[in-house]
Every structure is written in C-alpha cells, then in structure tokens.
Amino acid sequence: MTAHKSDVVVIGAGIQGCAAALRLARRGRRVLLVEKNTAGRHASGVNAGGVRRLLRHVAEVPLSLASMEIWPDLAEDLGADCGFQVSGQVAIAESDTDLAAFETRHAQMVSLGYRHEEMLSRAELSELVPALSPRCVGGLICRGDGFASPYLTVAAFRDAAVAAGVVLLERTRVTGAQRRAGVWHVASDAGPIEAAVLVNCAGAWAGEVAGWLGESVPLEPMALMMMVTARMERFVEPVVIGRSRKLSFKQMPNGSVMIGGGYRGTPDLAHDRSSVDFRQLMLSARTVADLFPVMRDAAIVRCWSGIESRLPDDIPVLGPSATEEAAFHAFGFAGHGFQLGPIIGELLAQLVDTGVTQLPIAPFAITRFG
C-alpha cells in the first residue's frame, strides 16, 4: 500500500491538534492530521467552552494571557464564528476560608506582575451576581474572560486547516509509530504514513503514543460531565466558578444554563466512549440549587460526558520528546485546555519550525515525571 507522505503528522484533531495543523500549514509545511473519531469528538468538543485566565496554575498564566490576546480576533482569522463573547468570570467564596485563599492568590499574582484578577467584596459580588445566595462572602474576578462554543471553535480551526492545505484523515486510528533513518513511520487504519515530524495531540490516548517513543507518563483518563437546562429568564451575566465546591455555571445567550465543574462519569478508552454518573450529577445539581435559589425548579434537558485526561500536577505536557528527535507533545490539559488552544497551536508550530518558543514551556516538560 502506498504511504501517505507529509512533512508533519499530527495525531489527534482536538483544538490543539487542529490549531497546530493550521499554524504549521500556514508556515508552508505539508501536514497530515489524523483522528480516530471526528474532529473535536471528545474533550475539545464537549467541554463548557470556558475562555478563562482566572485561577490558572502559575506556570500556565503566560500561555493563558497570550492565548487571550488571540481570542477576540479568532473568528476573523479563521473565517468563521466561534461564539466567543466576554462575560467576565467570577470565582465565589462561600466562607472566610475561601476568601482568605483568594486574597493569598491575588497577592501572589500582583507580586508576579499580573493584574488580570481582582478581589470582590460581598457587596460587589452581590451587585454583580444578584441571583447568588447572599451567604457568599466575596470573590475573585477576571473581567475580560468569557466563553465560546466548543463545537463552532473546533469546526472553525478544522475547516481553516483544511483550507490551508492540511490533509485530514478522520475515523483513522493510529496503531504505532517508529522513527527510522530520520523518517517517522506511522501505522494507521488508512495505511502507512511517513513524515519527518510527529506531533502528539492525542488527548486521553496520548500516553499510548508517548509509549511508542519510550516515554511513560502517569496520564489519567477522566470523563467530565455537563448538564444544560431549558431556557430561563436572564438572571446572570458572568461565568461563575466555585472554590470549595465543584461548579462551572453560565447562562447562554438563548437563556439555557450550562452546568459543569469537574464531576466525573466513566471513561471507556477501549471503545472510544464515556457514560454519565447520575449520582454525581445529583451532587452537581444540589450545589447549583444551593447557590442559586432561582434554579431550584429549573428543568434539566440534557447531560453528557466527554473523555479528557489529567496528569498528577494538573498541568499539561507540552514540548519536545525526551527520547526521540522530531517529536513533540501537547496533552493532559485536565479539563482546562480549551482556552489555551490558539496559543498551543502556535507554540507547537514554533517548536517544529525552530525548536524554541516565544513563551516559557519548561514547567510542562515530559521529563518532570522521571
């Protein structure tokens, strides 16, 4: 069988894989993007769509700030609506302990020169989110944050990549990779693939790809769950997230309310699917009803889960392989990789082109796991 040949093979067509393929194609590289399902099928297409700098891990802050600079012009760049809008994101303190933690966080950010997060008093929080339970004592806000549509965003990156010349092979599973004589030989359902460079954006399946390179990582799959309600009269503008309890809460432009926050279903990597855990969804619903009394009679119309993965320190692997030349990784985003997608694609393109990046990525090295 004749091999598919390209300069770069990208494994995984989530937002990171599609963004990397696009940026590489625009740099003149011939790119083959391989996806075992369809683009954005799991984490990138079924998440809450948060475009958030708020409460990022310190190592991620430079990347998140740079990615946020891209988001306002993304629709124009990609030639398609991504559903992006600025609403602000607010983390709520339900207790003095929560508030003290936010104050410590705020002081840390200021000491590092970051000013995108602001403290909110009880009165300021009540004015901003009047539907919130009055027992909340304050919060932390990033006013320029917001949300977008995962489906529209991944589709926009995918279509722009194809328009730029990327060859997309969907429903094509990669089954092995080996580098010989300076060429990556990749086995797949669509036949052999040959490329000078391999980029691993395989999400929850990325540990298997890393294993082909002789790199072992403690990657844990997880199936994050979401719920959405019937349409309601508008009662909240910013995205609201919790600290002491799992919560990601926003009202969509059509009035429906999307609820997440990290409750997990059951992933099944072998069969490429996941299931919801209704006991965990009950806990999520109780949190929402407790914090937003207006939600106590809301009708849940749909719930779902999607497969993501995390590493023990809850930040991703991003950077070159430690064992093989011309191989790069970007995976393990722990449910918060959507906002980073635009900058991750650019950084991967820089790595492939020059071996260096405009932003610090040393904290994300795969070697940190020994």
Side-chain angles (χ1 to χ4, degrees), residues 173 205 268-273:
R173 185 177 294 272
W205 292 263
D268 182 354
L269 269 65
H271 297 94
D272 200 22
R273 64 192 180 197

Side-chain angles (χ1 to χ4, degrees), residues 252-306:
M252 303 299 289
N254 69 354
S256 63
V257 177
M258 187 174 289
I259 303 163
Y263 286 97
R264 300 187 190 183
T266 303
D268 182 354
L269 269 65
H271 297 94
D272 200 22
R273 64 192 180 197
S274 60
S275 59
V276 299
D277 183 332
F278 287 100
R279 292 169 297 181
Q280 293 296 307
L281 287 178
M282 285 178 62
L283 294 176
S284 181
R286 287 172 183 166
T287 297
V288 168
D290 188 24
L291 291 171
F292 289 92
V294 69
M295 289 290 293
R296 289 173 183 170
D297 295 323
I300 302 295
V301 297
R302 189 162 65 96
C303 59
W304 66 90
S305 64

Side-chain angles (χ1 to χ4, degrees), residues 156-239:
F157 269 111
R158 177 201 63 205
D159 293 347
V162 171
V166 172
V167 176
L168 172 61
L169 297 180
E170 293 183 305
R171 303 192 185 281
T172 301
R173 185 177 294 272
V174 170
T175 56
Q178 186 178 38
R179 191 167 185 264
R180 302 191 301 270
V183 176
W184 280 103
H185 296 264
V186 178
S188 81
D189 293 345
I193 296 167
E194 295 179 6
V197 179
L198 182 148
V199 178
N200 176 18
C201 295
W205 292 263
E208 182 179 2
V209 179
W212 299 334
L213 279 59
E215 297 176 290
S216 177
V217 287
L219 189 65
E220 175 193 358
M222 56 184 185
L224 298 182
M225 300 189 296
M226 302 292 301
M227 296 185 288
V228 67
T229 72
R231 297 180 182 186
M232 304 176 66
E233 292 293 326
R234 182 152 294 279
F235 64 92
V236 62
E237 292 300 327
V239 178

